[in-house]
Amino acid sequence: MQSSINRDGFLPPDPDELIEEGELPFADAASDQADNSLTALQREVRLLSARIGVLREDAEAALKAKATSIDANAHVQLGDYPWLKLAAATSAAFIAARILRSLPFGALLAGYTSHFAETRRR
């Protein structure tokens, strides 16, 4: 009959006590559990990477579709070369603003006030 006393002369710990303390009764069980956890985590990482890849592809497709839609709408509203026409309109607005800034509004307003006073008397 085999003795339950180890070679140091002590009784081995009860496996149930080890589990209660948070230790596993066998070292192999701990490494197997760690390997299983690692495998499960690696699988989760691969799944998440695949999902992120799908989301990126969907986002790229949506952006390309939106850009195509905006370009088509610009062609419908502005005809051929819509961006050139838009640039010309912006440039014209900039030049008109520069011209308005350079006008002597004081002299213009003085002339208009006399004109308003004259029309008010009538």
Side-chain angles (χ1 to χ4, degrees), residues 8-115:
D8 296 328
F10 299 109
L11 289 172
D14 185 20
D16 292 335
E17 290 175 5
L18 290 175
I19 291 173
E20 287 175 5
E21 294 173 7
E23 297 178 10
L24 294 173
F26 307 104
D28 291 342
S31 66
D32 287 344
Q33 190 176 21
D35 288 342
N36 290 341
S37 295
L38 180 62
T39 304
L41 287 174
Q42 288 173 341
R43 183 173 182 268
E44 289 285 329
V45 168
R46 283 194 306 268
L47 287 173
L48 289 173
S49 296
R51 288 179 184 161
I52 289 172
V54 168
L55 289 174
R56 279 190 185 139
E57 290 173 4
D58 288 348
E60 286 178 15
L63 287 175
K64 286 179 183 177
K66 186 67 175 174
T68 303
S69 172
I70 289 172
D71 188 47
N73 286 340
H75 281 287
V76 167
Q77 292 176 4
L78 299 173
D80 294 332
Y81 307 108
W83 306 116
L84 180 63
K85 291 178 180 178
L86 188 60
T90 305
S91 299
F94 177 77
I95 291 170
R98 287 290 211 166
I99 291 171
L100 285 175
R101 280 187 190 170
S102 66
L103 290 177
F105 279 114
L108 288 174
L109 288 177
Y112 280 127
T113 54
S114 64
H115 176 69

